[in-house]
């Protein structure tokens, strides 16, 4: 048989190759998860043993330094046995029950766990971040960002009519994608910004905005044109949420949310439902989110009452929204870098 004949693929070979490659990739991911789960459980047990001994024997903190030295001598090629990490393990065992392989914390890398131990003292909030990070696959940087911005306090808090317009399970899922307020400090807008400047800034920093929105949002377009009757209308921002399988319309307002803004958003949502939604593909009812600088909750409640489309009214914060007498006193990025260099000098 010639070399050329050897290179001729038999029928179905390409499909078989792709199938096996997929199986190998899946097995490698599963193996990595098992290894990570075992490592997290090991760290918890080490921490629990240290806590138990210190409690019963009255040992001080110096014993941890000695343990670190002896363990690294015994296991010279194993990372993670430093004195600092042993202290984290002891803290870990004090703040979590022993994790099983199915527990969300066992699905997180150790670096994520140390961030949670350092930054989230409240147990309820810590468990919320553990579940969200494991479910959405947040990176360590994303987890840190969400903790810093207090995402657990903002999640699902925006006034909405979801319970009245969606089935119970859909309402809960839809509320989970809401934030109030949305943290748009990364835009660095001044206090006199216009709606177009806000929109331009959001598109210019779309990656940051998508991170703030949360997992599942896919960007469709800005100033998205829809034609109704003989007129063209333009949606500020249009997204599709992959988890909810539905379009999400954002209407931007730099002032206070008004009843007429909610009425206009309802009009946009109805138009998207009629012109873009594909129920035969499993698309759910379109959601509208009015993103305004401020709102009066009583006015919003009246404006949402009786509307058949799922709508919500959220607010946003920006660095530029800080009072003028406070903003100049905050350190700039250069100030922080200089301060860090000063600390690092011997």
């Amino acid at each position: 048989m010639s070399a050329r004949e050897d290179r001729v693929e038999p029928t179905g070979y390409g499909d078989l190759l792709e199938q096996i490659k997929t199986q190998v990739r899946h097995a490698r991911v599963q193996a990595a998860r098992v290894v990570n789960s075992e490592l997290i459980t090991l760290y918890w047990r080490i921490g629990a043993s240290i806590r138990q001994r210190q409690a019963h024997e009255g040992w001080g903190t110096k014993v941890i330094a000695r343990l670190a030295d002896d363990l690294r001598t015994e296991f010279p090629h194993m990372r993670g046995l430093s004195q600092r990490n042993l202290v984290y393990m002891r803290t870990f065992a004090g703040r979590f029950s022993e994790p099983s392989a199915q527990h969300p914390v066992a699905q997180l890398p150790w670096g994520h766990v140390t961030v949670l131990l350092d930054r989230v003292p409240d147990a309820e909030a810590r468990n919320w971040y553990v579940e969200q990070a494991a479910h959405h696959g947040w990176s360590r940087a994303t987890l840190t960002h969400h903790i810093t911005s207090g995402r657990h306090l903002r999640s699902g808090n925006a006034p909405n009519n979801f319970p009245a317009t969606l089935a119970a399970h859909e309402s809960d899922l839809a509320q989970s994608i809401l934030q109030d307020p949305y943290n748009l400090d990364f835009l660095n807008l001044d206090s006199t910004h216009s709606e177009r400047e806000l929109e331009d800034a959001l598109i210019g920093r779309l990656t940051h905005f998508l991170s703030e929105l949360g997992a599942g949002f896919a960007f469709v377009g800005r100033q998205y044109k829809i034609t109704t009757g003989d007129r063209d209308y333009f949606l500020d921002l249009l997204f599709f949420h992959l988890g909810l399988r539905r379009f999400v319309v954002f209407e931007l307002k730099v002032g206070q949310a008004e009843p007429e803004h909610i009425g206009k958003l309802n009009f946009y949502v109805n138009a998207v439902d009629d012109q873009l939604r594909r129920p035969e593909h499993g698309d759910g009812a379109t959601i509208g989110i009015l993103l305004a600088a401020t709102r009066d909750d009583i006015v919003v409640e009246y404006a949402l009452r009786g509307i058949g489309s799922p709508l919500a009214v959220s607010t946003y914060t920006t660095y530029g929204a800080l009072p003028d007498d406070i903003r100049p006193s905050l350190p700039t990025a250069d100030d922080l870098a200089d301060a860090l260099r000063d600390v690092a000098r011997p």
Side-chain angles (χ1 to χ4, degrees), residues 286-305:
T286 301
I287 291 174
I289 300 177
L290 178 63
L291 189 57
T294 61
R295 69 164 182 264
D296 182 319
D297 284 353
I298 296 177
V299 171
V300 169
E301 180 185 349
Y302 280 127
L304 288 175
R305 191 179 300 175

Side-chain angles (χ1 to χ4, degrees), residues 274-339:
D274 284 349
Q275 299 183 25
L276 301 179
R277 178 188 173 199
R278 296 291 181 267
E280 67 273 16
H281 295 162
D283 293 356
T286 301
I287 291 174
I289 300 177
L290 178 63
L291 189 57
T294 61
R295 69 164 182 264
D296 182 319
D297 284 353
I298 296 177
V299 171
V300 169
E301 180 185 349
Y302 280 127
L304 288 175
R305 191 179 300 175
I307 290 181
S309 303
L311 306 180
V313 181
S314 290
T315 57
Y316 66 91
T317 63
T318 67
Y319 172 80
L322 293 171
D324 291 338
D325 59 337
I326 294 178
R327 197 174 342 135
S329 66
L330 296 179
T332 64
D334 290 338
D335 293 335
L336 294 175
D338 290 341

